[in-house]
């Protein structure tokens, strides 16, 4: 009898436990991922909404909702009684061209907390001119080859003032005076080498006015090819044969100068230099590359030398391309004319993450992974750059790790680095996404970011993925 009573008690306890499970809070989301359509830098996307419902029979209390990765959210969620729901509105704003992943993290008193919604957004450049380098390979001197480039307008209506090429390159196009939003046109570039060896050039597109709304008033694509089978004699020597202005960030205000020496190598023939010109990107109406000084135009005696000084001006906006192609062209009496020297500047993002993505292997639910370390490098020219807030989402955590730990609000000077440790502690099985989001002060207004929970236009992200087992 005693044994039967124990069995009855066990069954009663089991039924009570099952009943308790039945009354637990049950979170239901209308979507577990949101994909935002493409938009241009600095423009906020249309809002997308997620409905959060309590399908259980006990009150659901939402303690916190946060968005990361250049996304912002607003909501009317608090305590949901059984059967009630609330709405979370998510928008995307970024000045970083490319694809960004973020997450919406929802913390509540349900067994499934935190709930994660994966967010994906794409920012397109206002004007796209792919590829950045058009290569023709080796072509016989005196023959030609043609390749096509497509100009796509992802922003507002774009007025085209001029399309030009330099060096041994020519172009034809079907582009209208004004390229409407979402439209494209084609530029056919032909290469006809005048001499042997490498023959550089550039394709340049300029807008109608210097006040183009997106601070982008001219852009370029580098052209490369080489001539073979032609005359080998040339009386022009250019040193160096290319100008590289190294690396800079979009907000680098410094000017950098490089000098080219042109020498007439003939022992008995003078060289007539008719013209020296430059082509390259244009920002806010200012040419990115300019000729600071030159004494070359005119007659150059045998063995004589002249110089051309080129200055790379600041690009004080966030929409500078990763690579700024340009060309210095010299028209003279030599058979190799025109001679072209390619110009290049590599523009780095303000922060560099090494690596920029962390992928964690399968991890037992309720346990913590080994630490993975990311090196954060400051590419800004501003001293005392601080990153606020250092925000992490998903089942991931920031820990002190590496040779120079960043801390929760890292501040460091140009060219220096700090190290960031990340661990993965899955609360449930399956694939889990997250992100570390950096917003920069003084670029990003702390009141807007921290108090008003608005997304910073220049938010930069380390994307995180892991699998709970």
């Amino acid at each position: 009898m005693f044994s039967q009573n124990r069995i009855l008690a066990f069954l009663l306890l089991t039924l009570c436990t099952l009943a308790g499970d039945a009354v637990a809070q049950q979170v239901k989301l209308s979507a577990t991922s949101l994909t935002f359509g493409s938009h241009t830098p600095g423009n906020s996307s249309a809002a997308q909404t997620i409905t959060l419902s309590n399908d259980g029979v006990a009150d659901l209390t939402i303690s916190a909702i946060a968005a990361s990765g250049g996304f912002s959210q607003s909501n009317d969620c608090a305590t949901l009684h059984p059967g009630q729901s609330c709405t979370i509105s998510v928008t995307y704003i970024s000045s970083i061209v490319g694809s960004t992943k973020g997450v919406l993290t929802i913390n509540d008193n349900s067994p499934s907390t935190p709930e994660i919604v994966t967010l994906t957004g794409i920012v397109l450049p206002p004007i796209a001119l792919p590829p950045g380098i058009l290569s023709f390979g080796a072509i016989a001197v005196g023959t030609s080859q043609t390749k096509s480039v497509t100009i796509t307008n992802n922003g507002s209506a774009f007025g085209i003032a001029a399309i030009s090429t330099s060096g041994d390159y020519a172009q034809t196009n079907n582009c209208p005076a004004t390229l409407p939003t979402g439209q494209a046109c084609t530029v056919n570039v032909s290469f006809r080498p005048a001499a042997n060896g490498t023959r550089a050039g550039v394709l340049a597109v300029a807008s109608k006015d210097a006040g183009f709304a997106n601070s982008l008033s001219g852009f370029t694509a580098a052209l490369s090819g080489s001539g073979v089978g032609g005359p080998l004699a040339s009386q022009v020597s250019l040193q160096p044969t290319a100008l590289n202005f190294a690396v800079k960030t979009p907000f680098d205000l410094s000017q950098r100068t490089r000098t080219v020496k042109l020498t007439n190598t003939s022992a008995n023939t003078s060289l007539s230099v008719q013209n020296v010109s430059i082509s390259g990107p244009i920002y806010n109406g200012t040419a990115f590359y300019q000729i600071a000084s030159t004494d070359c135009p005119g007659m150059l005696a045998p063995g004589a030398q002249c110089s051309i000084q080129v200055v790379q001006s600041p690009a004080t906006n966030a929409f500078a391309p990763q690579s700024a192609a340009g060309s210095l062209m010299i028209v003279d009496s030599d058979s190799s004319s025109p001679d072209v020297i390619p110009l290049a500047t590599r523009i780095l993002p303000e922060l560099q993450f090494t690596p920029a993505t962390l992928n964690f292997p399968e991890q037992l639910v309720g346990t913590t992974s080994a630490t993975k370390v990311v090196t954060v490098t400051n590419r800004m020219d501003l001293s005392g750059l601080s990153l606020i807030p250092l925000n992490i989402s998903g089942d991931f955590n920031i820990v002190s790790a590496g040779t120079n730990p960043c801390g929760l609000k890292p501040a460091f000077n140009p060219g220096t680095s700090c190290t960031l440790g990340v661990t993965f502690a899955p609360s449930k099985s399956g694939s889990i996404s997250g992100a570390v989001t950096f917003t920069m002060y003084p670029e990003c207004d702390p009141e807007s970011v921290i108090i008003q929970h608005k997304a910073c236009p220049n938010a930069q992200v380390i994307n995180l993925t892991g699998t709970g087992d």
Side-chain angles (χ1 to χ4, degrees):
M1 184 68 177
F2 176 74
S3 177
Q4 289 178 340
N5 287 340
R6 292 185 64 184
I7 292 172
L8 289 172
F10 175 76
L11 291 174
L12 181 61
L13 178 61
T14 302
L15 289 172
C16 290
T17 301
L18 291 174
D21 288 342
V23 300
Q25 305 85 353
Q26 294 184 17
V27 176
K28 180 181 178 182
L29 294 172
S30 60
T32 56
S33 65
L34 293 178
T35 299
F36 290 77
S38 303
H39 66 280
T40 51
N43 294 323
S44 181
S45 70
Q48 295 193 41
T49 59
I50 289 180
T51 301
L52 187 158
S53 304
N54 180 9
D55 281 6
V57 291
D59 285 351
L60 175 69
T61 302
I62 294 91
S63 56
I65 299 177
S68 65
F71 299 85
S72 64
Q73 65 82 29
S74 61
N75 67 84
D76 58 0
C77 302
T79 297
L80 300 180
H81 301 305
Q84 289 187 332
S85 62
C86 63
T87 300
I88 305 169
S89 180
V90 183
T91 56
Y92 177 47
I93 177 172
S94 178
S95 287
I96 307 300
V97 172
S99 178
T100 299
K101 291 183 179 179
V103 292
L104 181 73
T105 305
I106 304 166
N107 291 291
D108 50 54
N109 63 338
S110 73
S112 62
T113 192
E115 288 81 32
I116 300 295
V117 178
T118 302
L119 309 173
T120 303
I122 299 175
V123 174
L124 300 173
I127 302 294
L129 182 63
I133 299 177
L134 192 62
S135 178
F136 288 81
I139 304 294
V141 171
T143 65
S144 66
Q145 185 182 88
T146 300
K147 291 190 176 185
S148 297
V149 175
T150 300
I151 301 175
T152 304
N153 181 12
N154 298 313
S156 56
F158 179 72
I160 299 176
I163 300 177
S164 61
T165 54
S166 63
D168 294 342
Y169 300 86
Q171 65 81 29
T172 60
N173 67 82
N174 65 354
C175 297
T178 300
L179 189 62
T181 300
Q183 298 298 306
C185 63
T186 302
V187 181
N188 295 310
V189 180
S190 60
F191 171 48
R192 187 181 183 87
N196 287 340
T198 301
R199 309 294 289 177
V202 71
L203 169 65
V205 181
S207 69
K208 270 187 176 175
D209 59 69
F212 184 53
N214 286 317
S215 301
L216 179 67
S217 46
F219 50 99
T220 58
L223 306 174
S224 68
S226 60
V228 294
L232 299 178
S234 172
Q235 66 182 104
V236 174
S237 171
L238 293 169
Q239 293 297 327
T241 56
L243 294 183
N244 192 327
F245 290 83
V247 298
K248 66 184 299 178
T249 67
F251 296 93
D252 184 346
L253 301 182
S254 63
Q255 284 192 329
R256 299 172 186 177
T257 302
R258 301 287 187 271
T259 301
V260 175
K261 296 290 186 180
L262 186 157
T263 303
N264 179 6
T265 58
S266 174
N268 49 33
T269 305
S270 294
L271 178 73
S272 172
V273 180
Q274 287 98 42
N275 187 47
V276 178
S277 60
I278 207 160
S279 182
I282 304 169
Y283 300 121
N284 292 320
T286 301
F288 193 66
Y289 301 108
Q290 300 175 33
I291 297 175
S293 64
T294 179
D295 58 352
C296 286
M299 196 64 67
L300 205 60
Q305 187 180 79
C306 65
S307 64
I308 306 164
Q309 191 176 64
V310 180
V311 62
Q312 172 256 296
S313 298
T316 56
N317 66 86
F319 309 121
Q322 291 183 346
S323 180
S327 70
L328 174 66
M329 185 169 71
I330 303 157
V331 178
D332 52 53
S333 58
D334 188 68
S335 60
S336 65
S337 179
D339 295 294
V340 174
I341 293 179
L343 312 175
T345 301
R346 187 182 173 205
I347 301 176
L348 296 176
E350 297 148 326
L351 295 178
Q352 180 178 347
F353 306 129
T354 309
T357 300
L358 293 181
N359 297 307
F360 289 83
E362 288 188 357
Q363 186 72 28
L364 287 175
V365 172
T367 65
T368 301
S369 71
T371 300
K372 288 181 178 287
V373 176
V374 176
T375 300
V376 183
T377 304
N378 176 15
R379 299 293 186 186
M380 294 283 285
D381 275 6
L382 301 176
S383 297
L385 170 68
S386 59
L387 309 175
I388 57 173
L390 188 52
N391 181 302
I392 193 163
S393 57
D395 287 350
F396 303 88
N397 294 289
I398 297 172
V399 297
S400 180
T403 56
N404 182 30
C406 293
L408 291 179
K409 292 184 180 180
F412 45 97
N413 291 322
T416 60
S417 302
C418 64
T419 48
L420 183 74
V422 181
T423 61
F424 175 47
S427 61
K428 53 189 174 184
S429 60
S431 179
I432 298 172
S433 298
V436 182
T437 302
F438 295 83
T439 55
M440 284 167 281
Y441 178 79
E443 279 189 61
C444 301
D445 178 13
E447 181 178 350
S448 297
V449 173
I450 298 175
I451 299 175
Q452 300 174 8
H453 304 289
K454 292 183 178 179
C456 171
N458 287 331
Q460 297 189 49
V461 177
I462 302 171
N463 290 308
L464 312 171
T465 59
T467 302
D469 185 11

